[in-house]
Amino acid sequence: MRVGVAGLGRMGSAIAARLMEVGHQITAWNRSADKVEPLARTGARIAASPSELVGQVEAVFTILTDRAAIAGVYEGPAGLLAGNAKDKLFIEMSTVQPETEVELAKKIRAKGATMVECPVGGTVGPALQGKLLGLAGGTREDFSRAKPLLEQMCRRVDLVGPIGAGASMKLAINLPLGVFWQALGEAYSLCRHLNLDPAWLMELFADTSGGPNVLKARGGAVALALQSKDPGSATFDCDSIRKDFRTMVAEAKALGFGLPLAEKTLAIYDQASQEGWGRKDCTELPAFWSSHQAK
Ligand SMILES: NC(=O)c1ccc[n+]([C@@H]2O[C@H](COP(=O)([O-])OP(=O)(O)OC[C@H]3O[C@@H](n4cnc5c(N)ncnc54)[C@H](OP(=O)(O)O)[C@@H]3O)[C@@H](O)[C@H]2O)c1
């Protein structure tokens, strides 16, 4: 199939690579030109603008920072919606407030095209392996159209409800994840004085009811960071978590309630960012917290 990917950040690049690997013909575009080169080298076509991209493909994936990024890619004279969008399928995967997806879907439908939202759980590694968790929103009919592509990206993809439902679910899932990294930092501060091997400690935590699924995959990176060793490049950094938490807090406010724990957690990620940890992976937050307990 001819598939477009508009936006080649960490996730967009990984999704494009996965789609190529399973045999699709990829046309890509990114605002910053330097990010298109690695994909172009592997055989992807590069479009000069989002509007040009949409004319060359049957389906378009987007996974972008936030609402402003979605507006930047879809709207305007060179945006996706200015291209030949009729009958095309748009799969929008960004982590944003539900209302952003609802507004976008109206604009896409007005062009005679189809939209399914599908924010995802999992980071760059699972995206490259087609093992993301997909949280789709849309009609049953539209979801059926998107499902074959989504199943090539996801180990599990569920239709949660109408457009916006996927975004609500994604924010809900990321809340305990973001809180967990701070909880783990605080837990570590209680046993740090025992001078146990952090790698062993993370493996122990992962085997207890104090350890969520993510620790099985990321405990090794946490342990390296706790020992001030390089845990590798960030796939989901603290600044991205801050964006997600700001989005959760805004969504709760729009719904008329507060999120006291999420608000407090956001303040800690804000502090980490101010102290230079914003571009570090969220799995380094326990090390950030621990660095404040060092005697
Ligand atoms: N990283 C993860 O592990 C992960 C996992 C699940 C979901 N997510 C979600 O996926 C989305 C992307 O995350 P990411 O980590 O891939 O982010 P990223 O690496 O920072 O990439 C962001 C992308 O958005 C583009 N963008 C930002 N502002 C724009 C604007 N105003 N106009 C046009 N393009 C713009 C960037 O273009 P430039 O290159 O030009 O800046 C880039 O292509 C976010 O909503 C995030 O919450 C991330």
Side-chain angles (χ1 to χ4, degrees), residues 6-15 29-35 50 62-74 92-96 119-126 132-133 170 174 234-237 240-241 243-244 247 279 281-282:
L8 297 174
R10 284 165 293 208
M11 292 299 282
S13 294
I15 283 168
W29 172 87
N30 192 62
R31 178 183 63 170
S32 308
D34 57 312
K35 291 191 189 149
T62 53
I63 181 158
L64 304 156
T65 311
D66 54 14
R67 181 193 195 106
I70 289 177
V73 173
Y74 278 87
E92 210 305 294
M93 295 181 142
S94 315
T95 303
V96 289
V120 290
T123 183
V124 171
L132 294 167
L133 176 85
K170 169 65 183 168
N174 269 23
T235 54
F236 188 35
D237 63 34
S240 299
I241 287 233
K243 185 271 297 181
D244 284 4
T247 310
R279 306 299 293 271
D281 200 76
C282 54

Side-chain angles (χ1 to χ4, degrees), residues 63-120:
I63 181 158
L64 304 156
T65 311
D66 54 14
R67 181 193 195 106
I70 289 177
V73 173
Y74 278 87
E75 293 174 27
L80 289 170
L81 295 175
N84 178 13
K86 192 163 177 351
D87 296 329
K88 306 283 166 76
L89 169 65
F90 290 84
I91 299 179
E92 210 305 294
M93 295 181 142
S94 315
T95 303
V96 289
Q97 276 187 258
E99 191 54 30
T100 303
E101 302 289 14
V102 170
E103 284 169 12
L104 179 64
K106 281 184 200 151
K107 290 173 188 160
I108 288 176
R109 264 186 235 117
K111 296 286 176 184
T114 297
M115 172 176 149
V116 170
E117 65 160 345
C118 192
V120 290

